[in-house]
Amino acid sequence: MKTKKIYLDAAATTPVAREVLDAMLPYFSERFGNASSLHAFGREAREAIEKAREKVAGVINAKPEEIVFTSGGTEADNLAIEGLALAHPDKKHIITSAIEHPAVLETCKTLEKQGYDVSYIPVDSEGIVDLDRLEQEIRDETLLVSIMHINNEIGTIQPIKKIAKICQEHGIYFHTDAVQSFGKLKLDMKKIKVDLLSISAHKLFGPKGVGALYVRNGVKLKALLSGGGHEQGLRSGTENTAGIVGLGKASEIAVKKISGNEYKNIEKTRNKLLERLLEIQGVRLNGSKEKRIFNNINVSFQGIEGEALVLMLDKKGIACSTGSACSSHKLEPSHVLLALGLSELEAHGSLRLTLAYPLTEDEIEYVTSAIEESVRKLRRISPFK
Amino acid sequence: MKYSKKVIEHFTNPKNVGEIKNADGTGKVGNPVCGDIMWVYIKVGKRKTKKGEEEYIKDIKFQTMGCAAAIATSSMLTELAKGKTLKEAKKLSRKDIADALDGLPPIKMHCSNLAADALHKAIEDYEKKKKVRAKRRKDENQTNTNL
Ligand SMILES: Cc1ncc(COP(=O)(O)O)c(C=O)c1O
Ligand code: FES
């Protein structure tokens, strides 16, 4: 059998696009200057960084000075939540959701240990945050609401416009982890009152290890790193020029994709693949059918375990992932799937496919039959058919 | 995390998959760590030795819902246990199974526990049933003499 290679794990990471790499390359050795230096080498780097800042800001209609470059989405989440908390020690209550990325959840847990009170808002069976509950949880000492835009596992789109409005009405800060949506969905900071927004380059055909935090003008944060006071004092450390240039280029390309047909084409082929997969016996869709990012599929197959399925598909050249306990470091099923109300057994048989590009008819056919065959094989081994 | 070649081999082509109807012993275990499930069925035979007679595992099959390591350890277990006397089979440990697979990633060692437990349970089940049968036979004999 000839093995094709089909990458269906875009929510984990994406390759650096050729154009992005080309834009980055000069900044490793020819234009290597430290952006803080006064000489020509330094100025060259500074210019490149500021251009990138404009491009990143452009994606979400923000002002360039509202963009703070970080080492990625994780750092952006940490800086947003902990940085805000440290700058506002008088308020010690935070509201977040049960399905956040660990970068948010673990930061909240750290604050809990320091005496903060954190409310984890449940989601409905489609993974949408319960807004009534959210509003009920607001108190005088509530500092921040942190709710992600797109969930990385089930692709659910949260109503961040409504959440922003609730927060504004109550005078509370709103942070959203937009790592999975930045450059994919239209976001306008002039229209939605988000105070803090996390960005990562490697989910958008940019390099790993670089990201940004949007900080609305006037929002006070305390830096988490002590040092030379780079990035308006919010992120010390010599700038990762090449990485930042990469994020800038990726942003520029993404803007074109948002207004073009690329994402619509991905969605069309995703829908076709999903339709085929839902014909398999004993399958269920996890998450919302409508309020879902265009490239995400998350399904559970009865009677089998996800890690085994992922490995079997890997043998057929298909790369994807699972929320099964067996594949996690902690040997616990995905907290996101459990929050939807799935049983541990259902979470165990989950499979996530996230498209990086539109699939061809052949690819859809190949992936469908590979999954069908693997599920059948694993069910033959399983005591539950 | 990386699996050994042997693990992948047994995962891809597991041996002795299925159910034994009228099994002499069944061992059903669930993994408290990750929630996986393994069922082992055995058929026990008797064979002559110099000293008399011994009981051995004549046939063994498994059904597993679990990760690649769980499937591979089930398969290896059945290979190791087949033909062994019950006494020998009782001594099969998780380490024996993991070693036979050229090792398991540390986080996956608990999967081999599951396989060893399932086999031991199946043997226990067989021995329990045998005792019940023996007792019944004895009771029946007694009733006969009382007639
Ligand atoms: C929703 C979400 N938040 C945060 C992160 C972390 O981003 P990074 O890998 O850049 O630290 C990820 C990616 O893993 C993510 O999907
Ligand atoms: S059986 Fe779950 S980790 Fe192996």
Side-chain angles (χ1 to χ4, degrees), chain A residues 271-287:
Chain A
N271 290 347
K272 270 189 198 163
L273 177 58
L274 178 58
E275 218 170 277
R276 295 290 305 277
L277 295 183
L278 291 179
E279 284 165 13
I280 298 175
Q281 239 192 20
V283 68
R284 57 162 288 165
L285 176 69
N286 300 320

Side-chain angles (χ1 to χ4, degrees), chain A residues 303-305 307-309 311-312 315 325-331 344-345 348 377-378 380-385, chain B residues 1 3 8 11-14 17-18 33-37 39 62-69 71 107-108 110:
Chain A
I304 62 169
E305 189 282 319
E307 190 220 280
L309 182 56
L311 272 172
M312 219 164 248
K315 287 206 92 154
C326 301
S327 77
S328 89
H329 298 299
K330 289 190 254 166
L331 292 170
E344 300 209 347
L345 219 62
H348 224 42
K377 194 166 168 194
L378 287 170
R380 215 178 301 135
I381 303 172
S382 169
F384 309 107
K385 302 299 171 191
Chain B
M1 196 190 61
Y3 284 126
I8 294 296
F11 164 60
T12 319
N13 289 307
V17 173
V33 183
C34 61
D36 290 318
I37 286 155
W39 295 0
F62 81 91
Q63 290 178 310
T64 292
M65 188 189 89
C67 69
I71 292 171
I107 194 172
K108 294 287 179 181
H110 71 278

